[in-house]
Amino acid sequence: MGVSQFGYLVLDVADIKAWRELAAGIIGAELRGGEDGGPLKLRFDEYEHRMTLRPAKTDALVAIGWEVDSPEALEAVRRKAAARGIAVTDASREALAERGVQAMIRLRDLDGAPLEIYYGPKIDDSPLKPSRPVSGFVCGALGLGHVVLVAKDRDESVRFYREVLGFSLTDTIKWDQLDAVFLHCNPRHHSLALMNECYGMTSGYLNHFMLETCSIEDVGRAYDLVRSRKLPLSLALGQHSNDRMTSFYMKTPSGFSMEYGWGGVRVDDAVWQVGHYDTTKLWGHESAA
Ligand SMILES: [Fe+2]
């Protein structure tokens, strides 16, 4: 009994105007709030929101939200974390209201990344109103997308996420300096990947988050928009080896990257076999740095 999806992301952002332009002009999420200096919330599916961008002096990762299916699953995570000596705190009533969830505990992973384990997200049945014409986002029970984090002791971090949060191993990639482990908690190929420290990235760093669209055209059109507006790309359009995602990566105003993709494979635990790859890509994904 572990987490069931990557539910939400909360960020402090120094340039809220640039993030708003990214959210509305490229991502295509429904925008809510953000007036009068308040948080800007992004909606992708029936969840009331899944990303919260809080205007701040400096950029910071505030929370990675991991959903569980029940109060029992929440308590199981609490027990397993406590057994490893990890401090767990209960969210305040204000924090629950801000996140729009029924119950939530907070803890940090081995590199200090702030995690929130919760159940009972606020659901909004009104149709999604994308901020630009997109066919939509692959979310629902698969979650918001995925996050990739840099870990100092990668193997120990994998153990933490498997044993405390209940992730399962999908596959691994070792290429150049990169040594990455991909983990799933639902049929999405990975909701989390953990990288070693490489390419100057140190532990606790959010390397990127990924959003998956419902059509390849959404990715192609977003790619055209990024290039025509000369927004900073990290990796050009390409396709990954392991999850078969066709995607591009662009630098967000906070410095880390966003992967915008389509067509990731799904994991069926009954037949899935853990693979190992020595390349990250089938084609494309040239570094734009
Ligand atoms: Fe990714």
Side-chain angles (χ1 to χ4, degrees), residues 134-173:
V134 290
S135 59
F137 302 92
V138 180
C139 292
L142 297 181
L144 173 59
H146 68 230
V147 281
V148 177
L149 301 169
V150 180
K152 192 170 188 64
D153 186 338
R154 211 277 323 279
D155 291 343
E156 192 54 31
S157 288
V158 169
R159 247 189 300 282
F160 163 80
Y161 275 101
R162 293 186 70 185
E163 292 174 6
V164 177
L165 270 65
F167 280 90
S168 298
L169 182 61
T170 309
D171 51 31
T172 56
I173 299 180

Side-chain angles (χ1 to χ4, degrees), residues 28 66 72 78 92 111 131 157 171 179 192 197 204 207 280:
W66 295 107
E72 291 75 21
R78 186 202 299 273
S92 65
D111 294 290
S131 50
S157 288
D171 51 31
D179 187 354
L192 171 71
E197 292 185 316
N207 173 264
T280 60

Side-chain angles (χ1 to χ4, degrees), residues 34-38:
E35 301 88 13
D36 308 325

Side-chain angles (χ1 to χ4, degrees), residues 79-129:
R79 272 198 310 276
K80 287 175 188 166
R84 290 178 68 116
I86 294 165
V88 177
T89 55
D90 282 288
S92 65
R93 197 171 295 181
E94 292 74 27
L96 295 180
E98 199 180 307
R99 301 288 188 268
V101 298
Q102 290 299 297
M104 185 236 287
I105 57 173
R106 288 173 154 146
L107 62 150
R108 289 186 179 270
D109 76 3
L110 304 187
D111 294 290
L115 311 182
E116 295 181 348
I117 318 299
Y118 72 93
Y119 69 85
K122 192 170 178 185
I123 302 298
D124 181 341
D125 285 330
S126 64
L128 185 72
K129 301 180 205 67

